[in-house]
Amino acid sequence: MRNLFNNNIKGVFLSVLALLASGCEPEANIKEYVYPAPVITEVSPLEGYEGDQVIIIGEDFGDRVEAVSVDFGGIPVENIYSCKNNMLVVQVPEGAQSGKVGVTVWTNKTNSESDFKVIPTPSIISMTSDNPSGNLFAQGGDKITVRGVNFGEDASKFKAYVNETEAVILSASNTEIILEYPSGITSGIVYLDLNGYKLEGSAFIDSSIEGDVTSLFIKNYKQPFLRSDITDGEWGTAMYWNTTSGFGSSLNFPLGNTDGFIAIQAGDGQGIKDNASLYQNTTLPSGKYKFTINVEENTKVTGRYGCVFAVANGSTLPGLDSEKDVNGVKQFTYTEEHTELLGYVQITTNTISEPVTYTLELNLTETKSVAIGFVAMFHGTNSLKISEIKIERSINQ
């Protein structure tokens, strides 16, 4: 038995020696491939902003993007849009430095002969109008002052637009541009084109506009309502509307109704509303205003009850303070003086079977930054559904 074991050991040893010997033979089939170094013949353009696309022309880049890396002044590129043997299309990276453009293929690197100039990225700090109604409003001939950084020194390469209408630039520097607001625009967004770099600025509203102005001052105010949650269930969250803590869902899509309602509800799966607010912030110029609220459904069952539509100075709406008889039912409302409150209308009553319209009229003698929306006191089981809010304006005479 011992001899058999020793013979096996010797056999394994000799086999290993044979393998080692064959691996050391001079004619072993092992080849080393040397990749050629890339060559850069052109970089176009030779200047640009962070985020711009740049074309690199040359040779021996290969067509395997995972083997290629590019840098601008040592800052690596994150986006290579196209990789061909003789051309690369890349994006100037954030934080790029002026200097050579480097291309590395596998382990071989080469740099461009010419330097690439990174132009400092322009940005807008503020944009204001000299309109007497306030700096958010503009009419034809008003001056819009745009302040920022890195606009550039060559004003001949500056252009300004309001929506798609080109505006006259009255003066320009690296940090400030003053333009004249074009006539005939009800509301518009100011855009800048600075040597090909495009910036979106603020929106301005014509303070002389009358009639239905809802879309100029609030968003998502009528059916079909937009939801900001990603589900498609019966309850959702109303896009553009702010809520106080714990408000819960603000949209309801009953079975078969895809338009939805602004909904304020307690019970049946929804939490209580204890001075809960649903509102938007906006700025209203002076004028006479009429707010119309279409209530499609109002159900009163049990518990604390009451809801108002209100407009108030500032960024929030005051809470309801006590109960009294309103619209034929005891409910929470405003009974105390709230200096910030510009006006309100109670929009709850007993259970209704047909839609009801409520209106609130205000007369503003000066521009006001306001909160517009609903304040509710719903405990137990109560609900309210709204299909539209409308704002009409006329100018004080």
Side-chain angles (χ1 to χ4, degrees), residues 9-20:
I9 293 295
K10 290 177 182 178
V12 172
F13 181 72
L14 291 173
S15 298
V16 171
L17 286 177
L19 288 172
L20 292 173

Side-chain angles (χ1 to χ4, degrees), residues 83-274:
C83 178
K84 297 180 180 179
N85 191 53
N86 62 349
M87 184 179 72
L88 302 172
V89 180
V90 302
Q91 183 182 49
V92 180
E94 183 178 350
Q97 303 294 315
S98 295
K100 305 297 183 184
V101 177
V103 174
T104 301
V105 180
W106 298 113
T107 59
N108 297 319
K109 180 176 182 179
T110 189
N111 289 322
S112 61
E113 290 186 4
S114 302
D115 286 353
F116 181 89
K117 179 183 177 182
V118 179
I119 304 173
T121 303
S123 63
I124 295 171
I125 296 174
S126 67
M127 190 174 285
T128 57
S129 165
D130 67 351
N131 188 282
S133 294
N135 58 25
L136 299 178
F137 304 96
Q139 296 174 251
D142 287 346
K143 292 181 176 60
I144 308 296
T145 300
V146 186
R147 293 186 173 88
V149 294
N150 300 323
F151 290 162
E153 301 295 344
D154 189 353
S156 66
K157 297 181 178 180
F158 297 173
K159 290 185 178 181
Y161 300 87
V162 179
N163 296 337
E164 297 178 355
T165 302
E166 187 167 0
V168 175
I169 294 178
L170 303 175
S171 65
S173 71
N174 189 48
T175 58
E176 182 181 90
I177 294 173
I178 299 177
L179 59 98
E180 183 177 306
Y181 197 83
S183 299
I185 298 177
T186 301
S187 65
I189 299 174
V190 175
Y191 299 90
L192 297 180
D193 184 332
L194 308 173
N195 191 26
Y197 192 93
K198 295 176 174 58
L199 290 172
E200 180 177 330
S202 302
F204 293 90
I205 299 170
D206 186 344
S207 59
S208 67
I209 192 69
E210 294 186 284
D212 186 348
V213 295
T214 318
S215 63
L216 301 180
F217 297 112
I218 60 174
K219 300 177 180 179
N220 201 19
Y221 55 88
K222 66 178 181 179
Q223 296 174 322
F225 286 103
L226 305 175
R227 58 195 304 164
S228 59
D229 55 305
I230 60 175
T231 67
D232 59 356
E234 179 184 359
W235 290 92
T237 303
M239 187 178 291
Y240 304 118
W241 287 85
N242 305 307
T243 60
T244 49
S245 178
F247 187 93
S249 300
S250 50
L251 287 180
N252 178 239
F253 295 86
L255 185 64
N257 186 319
T258 59
D259 291 336
F261 298 98
I262 287 180
I264 305 170
Q265 180 168 311
D268 292 334
Q270 296 297 309
I272 66 171
K273 304 294 184 283
D274 198 82

Side-chain angles (χ1 to χ4, degrees), residues 39-44 54-58 61 70 72 86-90 101-103:
V39 176
I40 299 175
T41 58
E42 181 183 356
V43 176
S44 178
V54 171
I55 298 173
I56 304 170
I57 305 296
F61 297 148
V70 181
F72 284 74
N86 62 349
M87 184 179 72
L88 302 172
V89 180
V90 302
V101 177
V103 174

